[in-house]
Amino acid sequence: MMRHRHVNRKLEQALLEQGVNPLLSRVYAARELRSVAELQPSLHDLLRPDSMADMQAAVDLLFESIQVGAKLLVIADYDCDGATACAVAVRGLRMMQAKVDYLVPNRLVHGYGLSPEIVALAMQHPRIGKPDLLITVDHGIASHEGISAAAELGVPVLVTDHHLPGDLLPDAKAIVNPNRTDCRFESKHLAGVGVMFYVLLALRRRFRDVQSDHPAASAALQQLLDLVALGTVADLVKLDGNNRALVHAGLQRIRQGKAQAGVNALISIAGRNAQSLEVADLGFALAPRINAAGRLKDISVGIECLLAEHADTAHALARELDLINRERQNLQADMQQQALEGLEDVAGDAPSLVVFNEAWHEGIVGLLASRIKDQFHRPVLALAPAADKGLLRGSGRSIAGLHLRDALDWISKRSPQTLLRFGGHAMAAGFTIRRESLQTLEQLFAQAVSAMADPEQLEAIIWTDGSLEASWLRADWIQSIHEAVWGQGFPAPLFQDQFDVLSQQSLAEKHLKLRLQNDHGVKLEAIAFGRREPLERRIRAAYRLEINRWQGRQTLQCVLEHIEAL
């Protein structure tokens, strides 16, 4: 079902009067933006770090550690947010003359977070030996046992995280997390990389206030913004004004040729152009290559790529990441086909879906859950056998209106023995269960979704920005869309029109190439990715617009996202 977004006409007129073109004025007004200043938020508008709970305690720890030459060890997470947060921490702290290195769990061996096993490995780090301080990035808020294990060995822990906390916080020396219930920081949507960047901003401020001649006081933290943008987009956090400012600044550095060697290498290996890079490229081209290493191999390959100082080293690591990602794509395609075959007999009114197969790879189940969720518009849990015999590890993806971590918490409170551990966000979560609990989990998840989601939320609605006037089909106006920052919670424009299908042909038996004419008489080239069946002669479609550049010529192309026959 397609519906138009409501457009606030007063805001639209205000934006027009401020010089915004008519196309973007309508799009932005539908997203409640009020001024040109909100279109490209500045770093000067960032929320202040000192409003975060425990920020001063965290800065005290790091300031004193740097002063005495303590050995710092960053404990990373194994996804793109964790990898970028680790690279930001290591690069930023090294700018400030800290002795710092990193360690990251292997998803398939160690599981998630700062566990006692990871603490034991940290105490024997091959490059720095026993550390004096552990710093978690993008995790730690649920690592009670690991933090206690470190304390017993005399090593304090600084937690930087953004995941939702449980009822009790771990006994760390400092916990910086905007989602703490006692945190006054106004934005609750920072990614893990954003939290770590904020810690560095506050630490630099401390040096400027009390020791302005120290190198840390002049640390060029803006050099890290490309990594902040990449991790923020990759983790699908809501792009509120604060996050848009971070992402916009990072994109600008990339487009200006100021990105890290590793980011440039990933852009090249993905066949993208740094000067015209878009937010979607970060999410769909760069991030999957880093994530693939954490899913199948070792995220250290991705971290080393982001830490590389020389282009040759970065390109070699980017090529390795690309090969791993190709392996991931093949595995995912097989798993998705198997999952769809298993769902053929599932009732269409089921409130949720749970899928499992003995042959699946636990590193891919999150991607699988995302694809199934998109196809069926239902909250999905996907599971695979864990390395620990008798256990299953799963990942879930949700729809708008159902907070997935809260749904798992609902299950945990009613059946404490079902979930051995869980954590996550509103839209994504991970968990571990015993093999024999699978059927119980499926039943309880359906009950949780039924209790927490309105029936209307289970209806797939395609929200569009309405019809495009013929005079608005200008390459410069369409380009202005592609230069803007879109993402989770701030969706890119999707338009809706009726078309006559003038011609259509199959491309590699995978896609449809089309020539369309809208009701304004405008003829457009179009493509429907993943569509094999021919279309009716008359259709209604939700679409986005791209600019094709070939041999000095520019043409507009519709990418059809949703199609209905008329």
Side-chain angles (χ1 to χ4, degrees):
M1 179 189 307
M2 286 185 273
R3 291 184 183 174
H4 292 185
R5 290 187 178 90
H6 170 71
V7 178
N8 186 318
R9 298 301 178 187
K10 289 184 178 179
L11 294 183
E12 182 181 19
Q13 184 59 37
L15 290 168
L16 285 168
E17 292 172 357
Q18 293 174 65
V20 181
N21 69 58
L23 175 56
L24 276 182
S25 291
R26 187 172 77 184
V27 168
Y28 282 134
R31 289 153 182 77
E32 296 296 317
L33 264 68
R34 301 177 178 278
S35 68
V36 172
E38 291 184 70
L39 306 187
Q40 295 182 343
S42 166
L43 291 177
H44 297 294
D45 301 321
L46 285 180
L47 298 170
R48 292 179 58 84
D50 52 16
S51 63
M52 276 196 206
D54 261 13
M55 182 62 85
Q56 293 311 308
V59 168
D60 289 343
L61 269 175
L62 294 171
F63 182 81
E64 292 167 8
S65 296
I66 292 172
Q67 296 284 39
V68 301
K71 293 180 291 186
L72 313 182
L73 188 62
V74 177
I75 310 296
D77 189 20
Y78 41 64
D79 65 0
C80 187
D81 185 18
T84 52
C86 180
V88 163
V90 172
R91 282 185 173 277
L93 289 169
R94 285 177 180 168
M95 288 180 193
M96 298 180 172
Q97 304 297 298
K99 296 177 181 177
V100 60
D101 213 309
Y102 76 92
L103 177 68
V104 61
N106 184 300
R107 179 196 295 261
L108 306 180
V109 177
H110 306 113
Y112 174 78
L114 182 66
S115 63
E117 293 79 11
I118 291 300
V119 170
L121 287 175
M123 297 304 111
Q124 304 172 34
H125 194 274
R127 292 185 291 270
I128 66 170
K130 182 180 178 180
D132 300 304
L133 174 66
L134 298 181
I135 306 167
T136 71
V137 291
D138 193 31
H139 69 99
I141 198 66
S143 298
H144 295 266
E145 294 179 359
I147 291 170
S148 296
E152 291 175 4
L153 295 168
V155 180
V157 179
L158 161 60
V159 170
T160 72
D161 199 356
H162 69 124
H163 295 91
L164 295 173
D167 295 333
L168 294 175
L169 296 178
D171 191 21
K173 286 295 182 181
I175 301 174
V176 182
N177 183 337
N179 284 301
R180 286 178 53 163
T181 56
D182 61 342
C183 185
R184 296 181 292 106
F185 191 74
E186 291 182 14
S187 171
K188 303 301 180 182
H189 306 293
L190 281 178
V193 67
V195 176
M196 188 62 228
F197 184 69
Y198 259 83
V199 170
L200 293 174
L201 290 175
L203 180 58
R204 183 177 64 180
R205 170 52 58 190
R206 172 68 61 84
F207 275 99
R208 287 179 175 177
D209 289 343
V210 303
Q211 197 174 348
S212 59
D213 59 341
H214 193 282
S218 57
L221 298 181
Q222 70 274 12
Q223 294 178 7
L224 307 174
L225 284 165
D226 57 333
L227 299 172
V228 177
L230 175 55
T232 299
V233 172
D235 215 47
L236 298 178
V237 292
K238 182 178 180 180
L239 290 191
D240 59 9
N242 207 65
N243 277 337
R244 288 207 311 280
L246 291 169
V247 172
H248 179 260
L251 267 180
Q252 289 301 103
R253 288 194 65 82
I254 294 171
R255 292 168 178 168
Q256 293 165 4
K258 298 177 181 178
Q260 314 294 333
V263 172
N264 280 329
L266 287 167
I267 292 170
S268 175
I269 209 76
R272 299 304 197 270
N273 185 329
Q275 292 181 341
S276 58
L277 200 77
E278 300 176 15
V279 173
D281 296 320
L282 296 176
F284 295 108
L286 275 63
R289 288 171 165 81
I290 296 175
N291 276 327
R295 295 182 186 282
L296 299 184
K297 307 290 184 183
D298 184 350
I299 193 63
S300 295
V301 181
I303 294 172
E304 286 297 319
C305 181
L306 299 178
L307 290 175
E309 296 294 346
H310 302 291
D312 289 347
T313 303
H315 275 278
L317 291 164
R319 283 193 294 271
E320 185 175 351
L321 291 171
D322 188 59
L323 290 174
I324 298 171
N325 190 51
R326 292 175 190 273
E327 180 184 355
R328 186 273 305 171
Q329 290 172 323
N330 292 333
L331 278 172
Q332 182 182 335
D334 291 342
M335 288 169 59
Q336 187 169 334
Q337 182 60 36
Q338 292 161 2
L340 293 175
E341 290 172 357
L343 290 171
E344 288 178 352
D345 298 327
V346 173
D349 57 355
S352 60
L353 297 172
V354 177
V355 292
F356 166 72
N357 188 298
E358 290 285 356
W360 288 349
H361 193 293
E362 67 175 274
I364 311 294
V365 289
L367 296 173
L368 175 64
S370 181
R371 297 296 184 271
I372 300 299
K373 180 266 297 184
D374 289 343
Q375 183 158 344
F376 289 89
H377 194 71
R378 291 290 186 274
V380 176
L381 303 181
L383 301 94
D388 300 328
K389 290 186 178 179
L391 299 182
L392 304 178
R393 285 216 176 92
S395 188
R397 297 294 184 270
S398 192
I399 58 174
L402 178 81
H403 196 296
L404 189 55
R405 188 203 174 275
D406 286 354
L408 295 181
D409 189 56
W410 188 98
I411 293 171
S412 181
K413 286 182 168 57
R414 284 156 181 78
S415 179
Q417 71 279 8
T418 297
L419 293 169
L420 299 181
R421 61 186 303 177
F422 67 93
H425 310 281
M427 303 303 288
F431 58 93
T432 302
I433 67 169
R434 295 183 182 86
R435 183 177 289 268
E436 59 268 22
S437 299
L438 179 59
Q439 186 174 1
T440 302
L441 174 68
E442 185 170 3
Q443 295 169 350
L444 289 172
F445 188 52
Q447 293 172 20
V449 173
S450 295
M452 298 173 65
D454 295 330
E456 289 184 359
Q457 292 168 337
L458 299 179
E459 294 183 21
I461 297 175
I462 310 297
W463 289 100
T464 78
D465 292 282
S467 175
L468 268 180
E469 296 182 20
S471 61
W472 292 4
L473 290 167
R474 293 175 39 171
D476 57 340
W477 290 2
I478 304 305
Q479 182 62 31
S480 69
I481 290 176
H482 288 271
E483 292 173 352
V485 174
W486 313 100
Q488 190 73 21
F490 196 74
L494 193 65
F495 302 103
Q496 174 185 332
D497 274 300
Q498 298 182 164
F499 296 97
D500 291 319
V501 179
L502 304 181
S503 67
Q504 52 186 313
Q505 66 183 87
S506 176
L507 291 181
E509 298 183 354
K510 292 183 178 180
H511 318 297
L512 278 183
K513 182 176 177 59
L514 307 133
R515 186 162 176 77
L516 307 176
Q517 179 172 292
N518 65 20
D519 288 349
H520 303 297
V522 178
K523 296 177 181 178
L524 291 164
E525 302 297 323
I527 190 163
F529 290 112
R531 177 92 183 200
R532 295 180 175 87
E533 304 81 13
L535 301 182
E536 301 291 334
R537 302 304 298 178
R538 180 80 172 155
I539 62 170
R540 177 186 296 113
Y543 62 96
R544 54 188 170 85
L545 284 168
E546 291 185 345
I547 301 174
N548 276 338
R549 296 177 174 86
W550 177 251
Q551 295 182 341
R553 295 179 61 248
Q554 291 189 159
T555 57
L556 293 180
Q557 174 178 267
C558 294
V559 179
L560 305 185
E561 300 283 359
H562 181 76
I563 304 167
E564 297 175 356
L566 292 178

